Amino acid sequence: MDLNIRIPDHTAQIFDYLQKGLFISSNSTNEDVRQLYDDIDENFEALSLYFGQIGYALERGNEYFYFSRNEPRATLEQKLMRAYYWIDVLDLFKTYDETFGPGFRFQPEQILVEANINVLLQNKLDGIRKHFSDKDVRKDVLDNMIRQLTKDSFLELENEKENTYKVMSSWHYLERLIESIQIYDETEDDEKPE
């Protein structure tokens, strides 16, 4: 490692934040997180080398940063189960509003009201239950999901009084994950001319 590389002053805070599996998004409502984003953006190469020395790969997304690591194959089944969950989550929110994505603001109550009149949204929200407790009512399922998305730094509570959430730039990570899934269409073989 080049000893002349300048490591930013907030490197310890960046590491502490990212090593928890969180994302640092450019559009965070937290000024400290936005400052960490700027520090990484300005010093990406130096920080990539620095964190690489301790086994962490600093990754750049569309207006967000995160750590990745090589994991044992034993976690493959867990990753697949998590991917099913993310597919269901994205499907639910895109059913609620096709424009749902980074910068979008919403109140969970709005989703519940819409689910009362939109059967498709109702079914998708009920389908999320399999990832939590089948006994939970829709409100509890939605609250648990939003709590987890906030904990994972995909959402932030922007206004506690009005219970308004903001979608972070890290949401692109989930979209990219889902978009990267390739599905082979068997009907293509059947339709080829002989």
Side-chain angles (χ1 to χ4, degrees):
M1 184 160 104
D2 184 356
L3 297 176
N4 295 325
I5 293 176
R6 185 191 163 305
I7 302 300
D9 294 336
H10 296 108
T11 300
Q13 291 95 332
I14 292 168
F15 179 79
D16 287 343
Y17 199 86
L18 293 177
Q19 64 91 23
K20 294 175 186 170
L22 301 175
F23 294 83
I24 294 179
S25 296
S26 65
N27 69 339
S28 176
T29 57
N30 182 321
E31 189 175 327
D32 293 334
V33 173
R34 285 194 313 272
Q35 178 60 51
L36 294 178
Y37 177 88
D38 291 340
D39 286 349
I40 296 171
D41 195 41
E42 293 168 13
N43 301 285
F44 182 75
E45 288 182 34
L47 287 168
S48 291
L49 288 171
Y50 181 79
F51 292 132
Q53 294 296 310
I54 57 174
Y56 288 87
L58 180 61
E59 304 282 351
R60 179 191 299 263
N62 185 0
E63 298 292 315
Y64 63 92
F65 296 103
Y66 66 100
F67 275 156
S68 68
R69 294 185 71 159
N70 290 334
E71 298 178 19
R73 292 192 50 77
T75 62
L76 183 59
E77 186 175 330
Q78 292 171 329
K79 286 182 177 182
L80 286 173
M81 294 308 294
R82 199 70 179 154
Y84 288 138
Y85 171 70
W86 292 128
I87 290 168
D88 288 344
V89 167
L90 261 67
D91 189 32
L92 170 82
F93 284 115
K94 288 293 187 179
T95 300
Y96 168 65
D97 190 317
E98 288 182 16
T99 64
F100 196 95
F104 190 89
R105 289 167 173 81
F106 71 98
Q107 296 169 317
E109 299 79 21
Q110 295 169 326
I111 296 172
L112 292 172
V113 168
E114 181 69 21
N116 285 332
I117 56 175
N118 182 332
V119 175
L120 184 58
L121 183 61
Q122 207 174 86
N123 291 338
K124 299 210 184 266
L125 189 53
D126 289 342
I128 296 278
R129 284 184 183 166
K130 67 183 172 234
H131 301 289
F132 296 101
S133 168
D134 290 340
K135 297 176 186 141
D136 286 346
V137 295
R138 285 187 191 121
K139 182 183 181 334
D140 293 339
V141 169
L142 186 62
D143 287 346
N144 287 337
M145 184 177 50
I146 289 172
R147 189 176 308 108
Q148 185 64 46
L149 289 167
T150 302
K151 181 180 173 223
D152 292 341
S153 65
F154 293 112
L155 302 176
E156 282 186 6
L157 180 61
E158 186 175 49
N159 185 320
E160 193 170 348
K161 184 178 177 185
E162 295 180 8
N163 198 30
T164 303
Y165 287 83
K166 180 179 179 183
V167 181
M168 297 292 95
S169 295
S170 54
W171 193 262
H172 287 297
Y173 176 84
L174 295 177
E175 293 174 332
R176 197 180 84 214
L177 173 76
I178 303 309
E179 289 169 358
S180 70
I181 297 172
Q182 298 294 320
I183 299 176
Y184 177 72
D185 187 3
E186 292 179 21
T187 59
E188 288 178 6
D189 286 342
D190 298 339
E191 296 173 2
K192 288 182 183 174
E194 294 183 24

